[in-house]
Amino acid sequence: MPDPADLVDTEWDVSERAWVADYLDHGQVAASWMGASRCRLCSRPNGSRDLSDGSYLWPEGLSHYVLDHAVRLPAEFFEHIEQRLQALDDLQRDGTWWRRAHSTPTGAVRPTEHAQVPANQGRKWRTSGGMQPNDPATHA
């Protein structure tokens, strides 16, 4: 890992940093760890998860480095963000599924039009007390 102090760009525009940090903060959780890391520049707690957008993986605290310390990420990553956000902007809404679902007399969705979620299939779900869902002991 590079030393973040070597990547600080004090001339980097704050609004662009905020834009990048917002993108980073909205990644999907890819992994969680048992303890929080600390910022290598100011020592504040800096997250305990890895986030992803499906292409890149980054530590949860990367947005802190970008926003609070002006740690500039590679140009390749900026291009990636712009492409991802443009692709979202270019999406067209398709309301036909909605109209189809509400064209039945009761407004109910026809089960054959949607994928069915399989039943539990023998998976064991544990609650904090070790009880299983639908166990009579858990329902008073």
Side-chain angles (χ1 to χ4, degrees):
M1 299 270 299
D3 183 347
D6 294 338
L7 303 174
V8 171
D9 178 0
T10 57
E11 301 298 316
W12 188 14
D13 180 65
V14 174
S15 64
E16 188 176 73
R17 291 183 357 222
W19 175 75
V20 172
D22 183 63
Y23 183 86
L24 294 169
D25 284 339
H26 285 90
Q28 298 294 306
V29 175
S32 294
W33 307 101
M34 294 294 288
S37 66
R38 294 206 165 268
C39 174
R40 293 191 275 163
L41 298 175
C42 71
S43 298
R44 78 159 222 184
N46 209 18
S48 61
R49 303 180 299 175
D50 284 339
L51 304 176
S52 177
D53 63 2
S55 297
Y56 284 87
L57 181 71
W58 59 88
E60 181 178 19
L62 186 56
S63 65
H64 163 70
Y65 284 102
V66 167
L67 192 58
D68 297 335
H69 299 297
V71 170
R72 186 180 277 276
L73 303 179
E76 174 186 322
F77 189 69
F78 291 115
E79 293 166 11
H80 170 74
I81 294 172
E82 288 174 341
Q83 290 170 0
R84 293 282 303 228
L85 295 178
Q86 186 61 53
L88 288 173
D89 285 345
D90 292 344
L91 288 175
Q92 298 294 315
R93 289 193 176 144
D94 179 5
T96 57
W97 68 272
W98 182 261
R99 288 188 292 282
R100 211 175 35 248
H102 290 286
S103 65
T104 62
T106 63
V109 175
R110 294 183 192 110
T112 57
E113 293 181 19
H114 300 281
Q116 298 295 313
V117 177
N120 189 355
Q121 298 181 350
R123 288 184 292 249
K124 300 291 183 187
W125 301 100
R126 295 188 64 98
T127 60
S128 60
M131 303 293 215
Q132 299 297 319
N134 301 322
D135 183 338
T138 61
H139 303 285

